[in-house]
Structures are given as structure tokens and as C-alpha cells.
Amino acid sequence: MAKMDVDSGALQKSSAEMIVLSLLEARARHGYEIAKLIEARSDQKLQFHVASLYPLLYRLERKGWVEGRWVEKAGERRRRFYQITPAGRKALRAQRKVWREMIAAIDRLAQFGVGNA
Amino acid sequence: MPDWKQYVATRLPALGLRPERECQIVEELAAQLESTWQEARAAGAGEQEALERAASQIPDWQALARDLRDAEAAPYLDPAPAPPGFAGFWNDIRFASRLMVRAPGFSATAVVTIALAVGACTAIYSVLEAVVLRSLDYKNPNELVMVWETNLPRGRTENVISPANFLDWKARNHVFAGMSFLGQTRRSLLDAGDPTELTVQFVNAGFLDVIGTQPILGRGFRADDEHPDQHTVLLAHPLWQSRFQGDPRIIGRTINLSGTLYTVAGVLPANFRSVGTPPDILECASLDPANDYRKRSGRYMRAVARLLPGISIERAQQEMSAIAARLEVEYPEFDKGWGVNLVPLRLQFSGSVRSSLLILMGATFLVLLIACANVAGLLLARAAARAREMAIRASLGAPRSRVIRQLLTESLLLAGAGGVLGCFLAFGALQAIRDFAPRDVPRLDTAALNPAVLLFALALTVGTGILFGLVPALAAVRGSTTRGLKEGGRGLAGGRHGNRLRGAFVIAETALALVLLVGAGLLLRTLSFLAAQPPGFDSSNLLTLGVSLPGRPDDARVVAFFRELNDRIRQVPGVEAASSIVWPPFSGPGAATGFWVDGRPKPPAGEVPVTDVRIVQTGYFETLRIPLQRGRLFREEDQTGKGVCRFIVSEALVRAMFPQEDPLGKRLHVEMGGRKVPGEIIGVVGDVKFDSLSQSARPMVYYPHAELPASSMTLVVRTRSDPHLLTQSLLAVIRQMDPRQPVSDIRTMEDWIGRSLAETRFQTALLSLFAAVALVLAVIGIYGLMAYSVSQRTQEIGIRLTLGALPRDVILGLLRRGMLLASLGVLVGLTGALAVSRVLNKQLYGVTAADPLTYAFVAVILLTVALMAVYFPARRAARFDTLAALRYE
């Protein structure tokens, strides 16, 4: 495994990308749904407000990792749904690998027993 | 329910994106807030509480706007270590391409700017490469030299040579592996097809061995071909193709040249180049060492020699000068004052156009520098807009070298696109150059975008990309991360340092543009002076036709033929006057020789004055309307060749030899022709320019044709209307006299004069074009700087206007800054132009390189144009909506 310099800002940023990509892995979702899912699945521990979520989604779109399209349903305001792209899936696999290795390394050092929780 | 779109639109600051994209973002944010509000309401919250819950999603609209702008501007914020080697470089290229595509206006401006400059440089370089730099298609071309005679008191450094001197040099030298002479004449090809006049070069048998080439068909000359009874020729490739359809069976056949049969021994290669007018035929000839050429003829040949291996041209020059010095002593009458000059053959070919081409090459480099400054300014502005991105990257650990590499990749990609487009432009430009260049530029037809030229274009493109990319790249990464994160997103590239850099670019562009404009201005004035120079005769409605009698007709027949021809031509309706001359004005070199006044002591050898000589029929001066100053013009009784030889002389000769006397009746000894008796001056005519309009008046002696019966003359015909309309009628008259008589060089006198100006015109046109491009680029640079400066100071201007400043004050303030930069550029440019324009000295006429009128005019033009470029952005700024300006960020 390559050496990793731990930088909280970078970690937070790349974890946010990984989280969003993971949620889009199964199917396309719009921004509000993504925010609610993050809140629900993290047991209210993580919250993505609008001010954080949308710049992140647009960055992912610019990188070509997600693709946005407008969907209009009868009686509803039209919404923009985001779908992960093949490049996004590749990036997600890479990020998951890095995180797995990092958590294993930290666990060996700090012995917080993630794997045993 | 609240109108969430209105809610977001009124609170979110302008993002500076395309309107559709901003609308989409507003709509998406509105949808998010609406969903939050609906959820709160569904959970039982009141209107106000639901509103607050939705509003809490976006606590800081300014921060959100900043983050949205960053996200939209640059996707690649990930500071992950670059993949090693090519993969990392490929990533940079992909990112740079995406940036280019997403900013089409910026990219197009930069690419077109670079393309114009690279295209111009490449086109001129391809001509330089073909004409000057490429080595000759001969074996060991650096060993080849032209051998000229020099006469420094007469100002001649490349004078044609005497056959006698050639024989002595050949016998006495130890520095040449071989020497060959070249003479030139015209002969008529009288085989099947229209009689055609050909240029024939006669050379000795060893000529092809000396220059190091061989025929592609048949054989070269052998020693026995030099025998006077042998008539052996080699055909030039173009003649073989056009007249003999490339038929290989021509070898061994005979052809009729001016009534004599010649055997074709071989065909020369297509890339064969000789000195002087490209020959159609090489004829084998010889010099007889037993002949005393010093008594029988003058100087009229050329010579080429190959240095022995290991002998330098300087060493050879020393020995040849020593031989010439000995000949001066042995033959003082003929050789006093005459030396030898060796010129590398490569330089001989490129000759007079070499300096013009080098000047044009320098001009294109100046245009390239201006283009680089322009694009660097654009990149600096863009770097300023991306400063926040750079700062974030730096704060996330991206090394500066990585960022610089990325930025340089972007520059190189822009330069690469510009380079490719520039090569296409160069291809088109080269076609235009070939069509409009002077006709006698050697090897111009071989100029092409060959591998050597493309390599130059590649090196130029890479160098350009680094040159305009490096400064903005360094400026973008320099300075503190905090400043980049805080300074409204402008960072160092957008702050004071960036402004100073952009200002420096504008000063540089303006200065360089001024240098080019001064050069173009000086050449334009030269051209206008030259074109206004009177040639000494009325050049309008004059048609010339070359007539050479084939065979070796006797003198009486020659004189009678041209007299009758002139008489018949004068009868053609539409003809006002007609006559003939040998070596008409502006058609190439004529004859010159020594002379002295009868009754005065003959000047010592080497100090005999020189006069030009022309041979004319009766009616010549009337046809050309050359003014008669004294005495009379030739009459028919002067054209008998018997009795006293009569001369007409020019005013310049009278000024030189008879400043205080009446020249009429005086006699001159002229070293020309067989007659040893002096000729009598019967008339003085106005000075006529024969070589170029810039030539100063030279002494001239006009012979009557019967005195020196040349079988090759040029008819000069003055017509009442457009001369071209009478061409067929005149040809019909000539055919009536002899159906097989070839006619050559059918041209108006104005064509001939135009040809003499062709090189100056061409150089002036190209330099003016480059100067115009430079001016446009410089103005774009000034305009861009001002527009950017205004956009950067929008808030400040809004505040000033709100606080009561008059729009006029705003405009004046901005004008002052812009014009200060332009004025500094003009000052620097004037100094530079003074230093650089000396290279044009040899090309100028009627003006000096420091002509104050030209400099002043150019400076005024540049400042006026700069003023307009500065005024429009300043005026726009003064009309800002103050509220919008205050909100602007």
C-alpha cells in the first residue's frame, strides 16, 4: 500500500465524493434525496446542507463522474437527477480501496476495532 | 407557498455563468428548498418555522456563490499525486483540452493570434530555407565559388570577366580543382513548331564536372566536343519536357539553332541551376589560348570554380589576388586597376534577395513576440480568475511544479492548435508569395512545407507556448495561498503584480508594433519616391519586342533588315513612332567601356573613364521622347557605317567631360567595336535611367546601328492607344518579312519598369502586412487590458459614481492610465526603431533610416488608434448602472 499523508480537509472532501457516488451506484437520484439518504443512513451523524451538496454535485459532473438530467413528473416541479457514469464507478472503486487500506492502517495503530464493531 | 425561485434569485449573487446555466442552478436550489419546506410543513411545522428550516439550508449566500463558481470553473481540484510518466502528462492534456472547449471565445482568440504569427514566420522561413539556407544540389557545394573581376575605382566588385584573364587564372592557380567559363547568348530553335528564342549558355567541356552534376539522360560534354567543328548541346529539363515531350529518343538527334545543326548529347536534371538567366540549352565551347582576347574583345563572361579539398576560400582569394596583381603589371593597358573577387556560389544564388528575406524573417519574429505578449496577457487574466482554484490546490497539498506543469500544458496545447492552424495558413501564404514575388528569385519554386520547415514550425510552436505560458504560470502560483483565497478570487495574477505584468506586455507590444510600422513606413516612402522618379523618357504606351536574326547574317543584311522592319512597323495603323535599340532601358545589363576625348592626353591605364554604350536606329529618341538638349538627332545618312562615325551623348557625359565647353563637334575615342577612329558628337540628349529608377545619371554614348550592326535588337513602338491591342498586327509585319523569325520578350516598357521595382514592391507589401497585423494585435492587447482593468474596478467605479464623480472624470482617469502605457510603448518603440531600422539602409531611397517625418507619422497613428482602444472601455465604465456595479464581485 502507498504511503498516505493524512490531511483532514482532503479526507473530508474525498469522503464526501465517495459517499455521494456510493449513493448513486444503485440508481439515479436528485439532490434532495441524496441529502436525506445521507442523513438517514448515517444515523443523523452526517448532514449535507445545500451549500455543501450542490457544489459537490457540480464538481462531480464536471469531472465526468456523474451525469445530470432534468426529469419532469406530472404535478411536480421538475428535478435534476444525477446518475453515476462508468468513469465515476471507476473512481468510486479506487476511492473505496484507498479508504479500506487507510482505515485498516489506522485501526492497526489506534486499535479502535472498526472491524469488530 | 413561497415562490422559491424568486427567493433564490434575489439572494444568490451573480455567478458570472451563462444565463441558462445560472437559471438551472437557481431552479435546482429552489427545488431543494421547496422540498425542505414541504417536509417541515408535513411534519407539522408552521409557515414561519418551515421557512426558517428551509432558509437554514443556505446560511451564507456569498460563500455558496463562491463555491458554485469554483465548482463551475475548474473541475480538477483533486490534489491527488499525478500518475507517473506519460499517464500524468496525458491527464494534463485531457484536462487542458476540456478547458479549451469550455472557453471557446478565449481559446479561439489565443489560437488565431498564435496561428497568424506562426503562419507568417513559417511561410517566410520556407522561402528563406529554399533560397538561402538549403545547400545546392551539387556535389560538395561549399567548394564552389564564382570568380568575378573587380575594379574598385569604378565601383565594380562583381564584374564580368575577360576570356584572356580566365585562361591565365586557370593556368596559374594552385587552389582550384577545376574552373569553367560561362557565356550567354540567344539562339532561335527552328525545328518543328513555332520558332522560339532560347537562352543558351556556352560552357567548356568540364563544366558539369566542376559544378558536380551529371545529366539524367545521355552523357555530359567530352573534351572533343570543344572542337570548333563539333556542335554539341545539352537540353535543360523544362525545354526537354515542353518542346520535346520528354522523349528519350532526343539523345543523338540534331536540332536547328539559328540555322546551325547541333547534336543533343544529354538532358540536364530537373534541379539543375546555373548562374544568371536560367538557360534552355548548354552549348559546348572553348577558348583558344593562341587568341589574343585582350586585343579582340572585352569582358563579357562569367566563371565558376571548385576549390581543391582543404583549401579555404580565403586562401584561394589570396592567391587569385596575387595572380591578378601580376597580370596588372604584365598587361597594364587591359588589366590595370582590375582584381579578382571570389564569392561562394551559394551566396551568389541568393544574392540580392538574401538581405530582404532576412529582414522579413526578423519582422515575422517581431509579430510573433507581439502575439506571445497578447496571449500571455489573456492567460494572466484567466490565471487571475483561477487564482482561487490555484490557492485551493496549494492548500490541499498540490506541489507548485505540478500546477505549473498543468498550466504549461494548457499553454502548449493552445500553441499546438495555433501551430497547426498556422501551418495551413503558411501553405496558403506560400502560394501567394510564389505568385507575387519577383520572378527572378532563385529556387523560389522549390519552397515548400518540407520536413525542415515543419521542424522549424514545431520548434517555433513549442518555444511560443513556453514563452507566453511561463510568465502567467509563475504568476499564478506565486504569492500566498491566503491572498488567493481572500482576494475576491483574483490572487496574485489579478492583483497589482498582475496588472503591472499586463501593463508591461502592452508597452512591449506597442513598442514592437511601432518598430514594424516605422520599417513599413520607410519602405512605403522609398517606393513612392522611386515610382515618382522620372526614367528620362515617356514610358506610357510603349511596346517592346525582341528580334534576333538567326544564323550569322552579314552586317549589311542586318542593318537593312532592321531599317526595313522599322519602316514597316511605322506604317501599321495605331503606331505613332517606332525604332530599335540594343539593350533597352530596364531590360538587364548593357555594355560599358572606357573612353577619352580626342585631343586630350589618354588617361593612364586603370584611370580611363567609363561610359555606358547603346546602339540605336534612327527615330529612337523621338519614339521614347528623350529630350534633345543640343545639336541634332540621328538621321538616315548617319546609319551608313561609312565616313565619320557620329555619336549622340547624354548630359551626364557632357557634365563630366565638357563642363565649360560646347561638346558639339568634339570627338571621343570609345573602346568598342573595330573602328579605331574617334566618333564626332552631333547631339546631346537628356539622361535616361537604364538599370533602376534609383540609379544616378551615368555617361552614355549612343552609336548608330550601322556602326555596330548587332543582329539582335529590341523594337520599341509607341502606340496611340493600349499597346497590347497592336501586338498581333506587329507580329504580322515581322512574319511578313520572315515567317520563321522568332520574337521574344513582348512587353510594355511599363512592365519592364515595374519589374525593376518588383523586389522593393514585394518587400514593402509583406512588411506592411506584418506591420498591419502587429498594429491590430497591439490594439487588441491595449483594448483587452483596458476592458479587464475596468471589469476589475467595477465596484470602485460604482462607488465613485455614487459618491458624485462625473462620468467625464471616470473616463479621464481610465484614459490617463491607458495612454500612459501606450505612450511609454511608443517611446520605447521609437528608440528601438532608430536602432533597428539601419538594417534597411540599403533598401531605402529618398529617405534615411532616421527620417523624422515617418517616425512622427507612425507615432501619431499608433497613439490615435491606442486612444480609440482605450476610450471605448472607459466610456462603458462611465455608463455603469451604479447599483449593479456595487453588487458586482
Side-chain angles (χ1 to χ4, degrees):
Chain A
M1 188 185 74
K3 267 197 183 173
M4 289 174 290
D5 291 328
V6 179
D7 175 329
S8 63
L11 274 181
Q12 190 178 2
K13 183 174 163 298
S14 93
S15 69
E17 287 182 352
M18 187 179 61
I19 289 166
V20 169
L21 287 174
S22 302
L23 293 175
L24 295 177
E25 199 179 12
R27 64 177 179 85
R29 301 178 198 277
H30 57 74
Y32 181 71
E33 192 184 350
I34 294 170
K36 296 314 286 183
L37 264 179
I38 290 172
E39 213 177 308
R41 290 191 188 179
S42 70
D43 244 354
Q44 316 301 321
K45 299 278 191 311
L46 292 177
Q47 281 191 331
F48 267 56
H49 290 302
V50 167
S52 312
L53 177 62
Y54 284 93
L56 172 62
L57 280 171
Y58 298 151
R59 265 203 304 279
L60 290 175
E61 202 175 9
R62 291 292 193 193
K63 286 188 192 183
W65 291 354
V66 304
E67 212 171 8
R69 60 187 172 84
W70 289 98
V71 174
E72 205 149 345
K73 288 184 182 167
E76 285 181 30
R77 179 190 289 280
R78 70 172 187 161
R79 289 181 182 278
R80 203 139 191 271
F81 278 72
Y82 291 90
Q83 177 151 37
I84 192 169
T85 63
R89 288 183 197 279
K90 191 174 166 191
L92 178 58
R93 277 197 298 275
Q95 286 185 359
R96 277 178 173 153
K97 181 167 181 284
V98 166
W99 273 96
R100 258 198 301 274
E101 287 166 355
M102 188 168 60
I103 286 169
I106 294 174
D107 186 32
R108 281 198 291 279
L109 289 166
Q111 294 170 354
F112 52 71
V114 166
N116 299 330
Chain B
M1 182 170 69
D3 182 346
W4 290 107
K5 266 178 95 168
Q6 176 71 11
Y7 180 88
V8 172
T10 51
R11 283 163 179 75
L12 181 69
L15 301 177
L17 306 174
R18 291 191 325 275
E20 319 84 67
R21 181 59 184 154
E22 287 215 27
C23 285
Q24 281 179 356
I25 292 174
V26 164
E27 192 175 345
E28 203 168 354
L29 294 176
Q32 172 86 10
L33 295 182
E34 184 179 312
S35 300
T36 308
W37 182 87
Q38 281 172 341
E39 187 191 343
R41 289 290 282 153
E47 277 272 350
Q48 188 55 33
E49 194 189 335
L51 193 66
E52 282 167 9
R53 253 196 239 177
S56 67
Q57 289 284 307
I58 306 177
D60 185 344
W61 287 93
Q62 295 292 339
L64 173 62
R66 264 200 308 274
D67 289 341
L68 286 173
R69 276 188 219 115
D70 288 339
E72 289 291 304
Y76 198 49
L77 291 179
D78 190 334
F86 185 72
F89 184 54
W90 182 240
N91 268 350
D92 290 345
I93 293 180
R94 276 177 33 223
F95 175 68
S97 334
R98 264 184 275 152
L99 264 192
M100 265 181 80
V101 165
R102 278 190 200 131
F106 172 90
S107 305
T109 306
V111 166
V112 167
T113 303
I114 296 299
L116 281 174
V118 168
C121 280
T122 305
I124 297 298
Y125 182 76
S126 68
V127 175
L128 190 72
E129 190 269 336
V131 174
V132 177
L133 300 176
R134 200 189 301 163
S135 64
L136 303 173
D137 293 321
Y138 300 136
K139 190 180 75 170
N140 297 334
N142 291 333
E143 291 176 352
L144 291 171
V145 295
M146 285 294 293
V147 187
W148 297 102
E149 291 207 49
T150 66
N151 189 307
L152 296 178
R154 293 185 187 182
R156 308 272 173 91
T157 55
E158 292 183 3
N159 203 84
V160 284
I161 68 166
S162 146
N165 285 338
F166 173 83
L167 289 170
D168 283 325
W169 297 335
K170 196 162 181 225
R172 302 186 190 193
N173 87 86
H174 304 97
V175 290
F176 295 133
M179 283 185 82
S180 187
F181 63 78
L182 300 99
Q184 197 149 298
T185 187
R186 313 264 300 182
R187 298 218 200 287
S188 307
L189 180 60
L190 299 176
D191 279 343
D194 284 337
T196 312
E197 231 182 56
L198 302 180
T199 301
V200 175
Q201 264 187 356
F202 50 90
V203 297
N204 53 324
F207 174 68
L208 293 189
D209 290 329
V210 168
I211 64 166
T213 190
Q214 290 303 319
I216 55 162
L217 207 60
R219 62 167 179 85
F221 292 132
R222 297 188 292 239
D224 55 0
D225 289 326
E226 287 188 359
H227 195 278
D229 293 338
Q230 296 295 323
H231 302 293
T232 313
V233 293
L234 302 176
L235 302 183
H237 199 270
L239 178 72
W240 177 52
Q241 293 289 325
S242 61
R243 191 63 182 236
F244 301 101
Q245 289 77 49
D247 185 357
R249 290 171 300 176
I250 190 63
I251 304 301
R253 267 178 49 191
T254 54
I255 57 175
N256 186 335
L257 292 175
S258 296
T260 304
L261 291 178
Y262 289 79
T263 306
V264 177
V267 174
L268 295 165
N271 61 3
F272 173 78
R273 297 273 185 276
S274 187
V275 188
T277 311
D280 299 302
I281 284 186
L282 286 186
E283 179 183 328
C284 192
S286 64
L287 294 174
D288 183 358
N291 260 334
D292 188 356
Y293 289 103
R294 287 184 178 91
K295 286 203 163 56
R296 293 180 48 193
S297 63
R299 293 170 165 84
Y300 58 91
M301 302 179 107
R302 297 178 212 230
V304 64
R306 179 176 286 278
L307 296 166
L308 279 168
I311 299 283
S312 68
I313 191 172
E314 293 78 19
R315 164 89 183 82
Q317 178 67 63
Q318 267 178 342
E319 174 159 314
M320 294 302 290
S321 295
I323 295 173
R326 284 199 290 278
L327 290 173
E328 272 190 274
V329 173
E330 290 172 30
Y331 306 102
E333 281 286 326
F334 191 83
D335 281 322
K336 182 95 169 96
W338 290 91
V340 172
N341 180 22
L342 302 183
V343 177
L345 191 62
R346 190 171 55 81
L347 289 186
Q348 196 69 58
F349 275 137
S350 52
S352 63
V353 297
R354 183 185 164 84
S355 58
S356 300
L357 282 175
L358 289 173
I359 288 169
L360 287 173
M361 195 80 234
T364 58
F365 276 129
L366 290 186
V367 172
L368 187 70
L369 285 176
I370 296 175
C372 286
N374 240 336
V375 178
L378 285 174
L379 286 174
L380 259 185
R382 192 169 77 165
R386 293 168 69 189
R388 192 170 170 77
E389 170 205 342
M390 303 300 158
I392 291 172
R393 282 176 157 203
S395 72
L396 293 177
R400 283 185 178 179
S401 58
R402 168 98 194 282
V403 176
I404 291 177
R405 191 185 86 184
Q406 172 65 51
L407 293 174
L408 274 182
T409 305
E410 292 167 24
S411 307
L412 285 170
L413 200 64
L414 280 173
V420 168
L421 181 60
C423 284
F424 282 104
L425 291 178
F427 182 76
L430 197 48
Q431 308 279 45
I433 288 173
R434 275 202 284 263
D435 290 340
F436 293 109
R439 270 165 246 222
D440 49 1
V441 176
R443 301 198 291 181
L444 181 59
D445 54 320
T446 66
L449 297 187
N450 56 38
V453 172
L454 289 175
L455 199 62
F456 170 82
L458 177 65
L460 198 65
T461 302
V462 170
T464 303
I466 293 174
L467 190 64
F468 70 67
L470 197 60
V471 168
L474 289 174
V477 298
R478 215 173 276 159
S480 73
T481 306
T482 321
R483 190 204 300 245
L485 289 166
K486 275 165 66 173
E487 204 171 312
R490 291 201 304 275
L492 210 57
R496 216 174 290 158
H497 180 71
N499 281 338
R500 272 204 290 269
L501 269 176
R502 270 189 294 278
F505 287 144
V506 162
I507 292 173
E509 287 178 53
T510 311
L512 290 171
L514 188 130
V515 169
L516 282 171
L517 285 166
V518 163
L522 289 172
L523 283 180
L524 279 166
R525 290 196 74 200
T526 292
L527 197 58
S528 76
F529 274 123
L530 272 179
Q533 288 303 301
F537 58 93
D538 180 357
S539 59
S540 62
N541 285 353
L542 271 180
L543 190 66
T544 67
L545 304 93
V547 176
S548 294
L549 296 185
R552 294 184 171 87
D554 59 64
D555 294 350
R557 183 166 172 260
V558 165
V559 174
F561 177 89
F562 281 103
R563 181 179 295 134
E564 189 186 342
L565 180 59
N566 285 338
D567 287 340
R568 289 195 189 203
I569 295 281
R570 285 175 196 133
Q571 307 307 317
V572 172
V575 170
E576 197 176 301
S579 185
S580 319
I581 180 173
V582 181
W583 308 303
F586 299 100
S587 65
T593 190
F595 78 107
W596 68 96
V597 179
D598 186 46
R600 297 182 195 173
K602 183 182 171 185
E607 291 173 38
V608 176
V610 173
T611 178
D612 284 307
V613 172
R614 294 296 185 273
I615 306 165
V616 300
Q617 280 274 344
T618 315
Y620 172 74
F621 301 100
E622 296 91 322
T623 303
L624 261 66
R625 296 183 184 155
I626 298 171
L628 173 69
Q629 306 293 355
R630 281 194 242 204
R632 66 171 179 84
L633 299 174
F634 287 136
R635 297 195 280 252
E636 281 306 325
E637 57 261 34
D638 301 317
Q639 296 280 358
T640 59
K642 298 187 179 77
V644 174
C645 174
R646 294 190 171 100
F647 291 148
I648 290 177
V649 299
S650 68
E651 285 184 291
L653 189 146
V654 171
R655 279 196 298 273
M657 306 308 289
F658 308 102
Q660 308 294 335
E661 306 167 61
D662 182 359
L664 297 180
K666 300 282 192 298
R667 293 177 178 236
L668 298 178
H669 293 269
V670 181
E671 293 172 329
M672 190 117 178
R675 288 236 256 174
K676 294 302 175 195
V677 292
E680 181 187 331
I681 299 174
I682 58 160
V684 180
V685 293
D687 291 319
V688 168
K689 301 199 184 196
F690 270 82
D691 296 329
S692 69
L693 289 170
S694 57
Q695 167 204 340
S696 46
R698 293 203 299 255
M700 176 74 74
V701 172
Y702 293 93
Y703 272 78
H705 183 221
E707 201 54 47
L708 289 174
S711 61
S712 185
M713 294 194 91
T714 299
L715 285 176
V716 281
V717 182
R718 181 170 294 283
T719 61
R720 292 202 171 87
S721 58
D722 180 1
H724 293 109
L725 298 175
L726 284 185
T727 308
Q728 291 309 316
S729 310
L730 298 174
L731 287 175
V733 167
I734 298 170
R735 301 259 187 272
Q736 269 169 13
M737 290 186 64
D738 181 352
R740 314 284 338 269
Q741 175 58 52
V743 179
S744 64
D745 292 330
I746 302 172
R747 226 170 244 129
T748 63
M749 187 55 75
E750 278 173 350
D751 279 345
W752 285 111
I753 296 177
R755 273 187 162 199
S756 75
L757 291 175
E759 195 184 313
T760 306
R761 242 189 220 128
F762 181 67
Q763 190 182 24
T764 305
L766 280 184
L767 198 57
S768 301
L769 181 65
F770 296 148
V773 168
L775 182 63
V776 167
L777 290 177
V779 163
I780 289 174
I782 296 173
Y783 178 87
L785 171 75
M786 283 310 299
Y788 181 77
S789 180
V790 159
S791 76
Q792 290 304 297
R793 297 167 64 187
T794 304
Q795 241 185 3
E796 173 205 332
I797 293 171
I799 290 169
R800 288 178 63 199
L801 288 170
T802 307
L803 291 177
L806 294 172
R808 184 192 66 203
D809 298 331
V810 169
I811 293 177
L812 278 175
L814 291 167
L815 277 182
R816 253 198 300 274
R817 170 166 159 76
M819 290 312 293
L820 177 65
L821 289 175
S823 305
L824 281 172
V826 163
L827 271 174
V828 172
L830 286 173
T831 316
L834 270 171
V836 163
S837 58
R838 275 178 295 185
V839 303
L840 287 177
N841 265 336
K842 286 203 180 109
Q843 269 85 2
L844 299 180
Y845 178 81
V847 286
T848 61
D851 177 48
L853 190 58
T854 307
Y855 282 69
F857 185 71
V858 162
V860 165
I861 296 270
L862 199 49
L863 285 171
T864 307
V865 171
L867 183 63
M868 291 194 308
V870 165
Y871 176 69
F872 287 109
R875 194 177 72 165
R876 234 193 357 261
R879 290 183 182 170
F880 277 164
D881 173 357
T882 48
L883 271 179
L886 288 170
R887 283 190 62 233
Y888 188 86
E889 189 172 346

